[in-house]
Amino acid sequence: MHEFGRIIRVLGDRSSVRLEHLVVVQDVGGSNPLGHPNKIELMQNLLDAAQLKDAQNLLPDWEISGESLFRIFVFKNFVEAFDFMTAISLIAENMNHHPDWSNVYNKVEVRLSTHDSGGVTSLDVDLALSMDSLFIKE
């Protein structure tokens, strides 16, 4: 059995806001029926009211509630929208945190929530910041 590992990431310092992200994983040995190693992943901590307010300062173009982050991105055409989704898909996969999103022609609607935790965590803020950094306003 492996020891608990901790990864702590402090998000950027826009308006001197600091949010923390903590992931703890324990390898409990063996494998489940699908052949994947058995691991216990502890849930992410939900952001409290003050952290949600800080997140709103970091993400002014997003609608933010305790349940989710929401934004619509509008591009020149379908190709630009799809390119954006492709770039974000690689980031999301690397984070092991995937958006709920849809695409119709030049619009990408995104809703971020950490389902295992039942609301918004720093993972959602991280992914939203990544999306904002790749989006170029016309």
Side-chain angles (χ1 to χ4, degrees), residues 68-123:
S68 67
L69 308 180
F70 178 77
R71 180 167 181 193
I72 298 173
F73 294 91
V74 180
F75 300 88
K76 287 183 186 175
N77 54 46
F78 175 75
V79 172
E80 285 187 10
F82 200 85
D83 285 346
F84 174 78
M85 292 178 75
T86 301
I88 294 301
S89 71
L90 298 172
I91 293 167
E93 186 66 18
N94 188 48
M95 293 174 68
N96 194 28
H97 188 60
H98 306 92
D100 292 332
W101 58 8
S102 64
N103 165 240
V104 176
Y105 183 58
N106 68 331
K107 293 181 183 170
V108 177
E109 289 190 17
V110 179
R111 187 168 306 278
L112 300 175
S113 179
T114 305
H115 302 291
D116 292 345
S117 297
V120 176
T121 69
S122 59
L123 280 175

Side-chain angles (χ1 to χ4, degrees), residues 23-26 39-43 96 116:
V23 178
V24 180
V25 178
Q26 180 183 16
K39 291 188 177 181
I40 299 171
E41 292 196 29
L42 301 181
M43 291 191 297
N96 194 28
D116 292 345

